[in-house]
Amino acid sequence: TIFWASEEHIGWPQWNDLQENCLLDELASLCERSFADITQSLPGLEMAHRDRSKSVWARLGKTPFANAVVLLAELVGGVQKARVSLSSFDAIAAQYASQDYIIDDLVLRILSIPFSASDRKIIYRLLDIIYLPWLESSAHHLQQLCSEQSYPAKRSLEPRKYESGTCVMFVDGLRLDVAKRLSEVLTNAGMSVRESTRWASIPTVTATGKVAVSPVAHAFIGLEDSTDFSPVSSSHHKASDLYQVLREH
């Protein structure tokens, strides 16, 4: 029998492989346990494997489970800290923009880790237990709030003023968590970044969203009998080319 001491063998590939296999078994066993049990176990696993996620093996792509357990532990902390039953849209927006977006970002980072098909099922199951309840509760609460109050997206449809020479870039599907990454990349590149947020138009599809964030959003409306969710001209209730309207205004 060979006994490994991490201080002596951290540079050995066999040691790292053994640690990954042991961690895989630990994570697989958590798939059959409750959220409460997982929150008790993950901090210890994260602490035990944190150093490997920063090691040479991580740089070589040999520590997928060590990387995942660090992010899973952060994810648990995020959903535990999040408050779901906030009473206003402004409070929900402020909390998501300041902290809750990190929850979605962590999930994307976990899903981007390369796993085999069988190992990925373990990760999916853990996300079902940790992430899905928060996601569903947040969505249901927002839907309930929409039934009680007016959805605030209309506040964003007022004409916007831009200085001459301003380039407005539309990025399809730029979720806030992804936009935060973009902001960080631009800042690190030496650019000056100013962030602002707004509620998305409904439904959140390209045909609706592209018009809603344009400088001429006020010139369009949505019809209840629309089958493709494309807004129409507010003046004659017929389809209008966005670029033509932009040129006219």
Side-chain angles (χ1 to χ4, degrees), residues 85-110:
S85 56
L86 296 172
S87 59
S88 72
F89 288 106
D90 286 343
I92 292 174
Q95 177 173 282
Y96 188 81
S98 63
Q99 67 179 51
D100 286 359
Y101 77 91
I102 297 173
I103 296 173
D104 287 328
D105 184 70
L106 286 168
V107 172
L108 289 184
R109 292 181 188 277
I110 292 168

Side-chain angles (χ1 to χ4, degrees), residues 11-211:
W12 291 26
Q14 299 94 327
W15 173 83
N16 180 69
D17 292 344
L18 178 62
Q19 295 298 307
E20 280 290 287
N21 290 333
C22 291
L23 181 53
L24 168 60
D25 292 340
E26 292 278 4
L27 293 176
S29 69
L30 292 180
C31 291
E32 306 303 322
R33 295 164 68 179
S34 66
F35 175 80
D37 289 339
I38 290 175
T39 60
Q40 292 290 324
S41 300
L42 272 179
L45 292 175
E46 187 271 340
M47 185 175 295
H49 296 274
R50 181 192 308 155
D51 288 344
R52 283 197 310 111
S53 71
K54 304 173 184 177
S55 69
V56 63
W57 304 117
R59 294 193 292 274
L60 292 173
K62 301 296 185 180
T63 60
F65 288 107
N67 299 342
V69 79
V70 170
L71 297 175
L72 286 168
E74 289 185 51
L75 181 62
V76 166
V79 298
Q80 287 180 315
K81 184 170 61 174
R83 293 181 298 158
V84 172
S85 56
L86 296 172
S87 59
S88 72
F89 288 106
D90 286 343
I92 292 174
Q95 177 173 282
Y96 188 81
S98 63
Q99 67 179 51
D100 286 359
Y101 77 91
I102 297 173
I103 296 173
D104 287 328
D105 184 70
L106 286 168
V107 172
L108 289 184
R109 292 181 188 277
I110 292 168
L111 293 177
S112 70
I113 299 173
F115 291 106
S116 68
S118 59
D119 291 345
R120 186 166 291 276
K121 291 180 181 179
I122 295 173
I123 300 300
Y124 286 163
R125 177 56 185 154
L126 291 173
L127 290 177
D128 282 346
I129 300 171
I130 299 169
Y131 173 64
L132 193 57
W134 171 81
L135 187 64
E136 290 183 334
S137 296
S138 298
H140 291 160
H141 177 65
L142 184 60
Q143 290 167 7
Q144 180 63 33
L145 207 58
C146 285
S147 69
E148 299 169 354
Q149 305 177 28
S150 176
Y151 183 66
K154 290 183 178 180
R155 304 177 197 167
S156 303
L157 297 183
E158 295 299 321
R160 292 193 174 190
K161 295 181 180 180
Y162 296 93
E163 295 180 8
S164 178
T166 298
C167 175
V168 178
M169 181 179 294
F170 172 81
V171 182
D172 198 0
L174 187 64
R175 298 170 13 153
L176 183 58
D177 49 339
V178 180
K180 288 284 189 177
R181 292 195 199 183
L182 175 60
S183 177
E184 182 179 356
V185 169
L186 294 175
T187 299
N188 291 339
M191 299 183 185
S192 176
V193 178
R194 183 176 61 193
E195 298 179 10
S196 63
T197 60
R198 56 185 288 168
W199 286 93
S201 57
I202 293 180
T204 52
V205 296
T206 301
T208 304
K210 195 171 187 177
V211 169

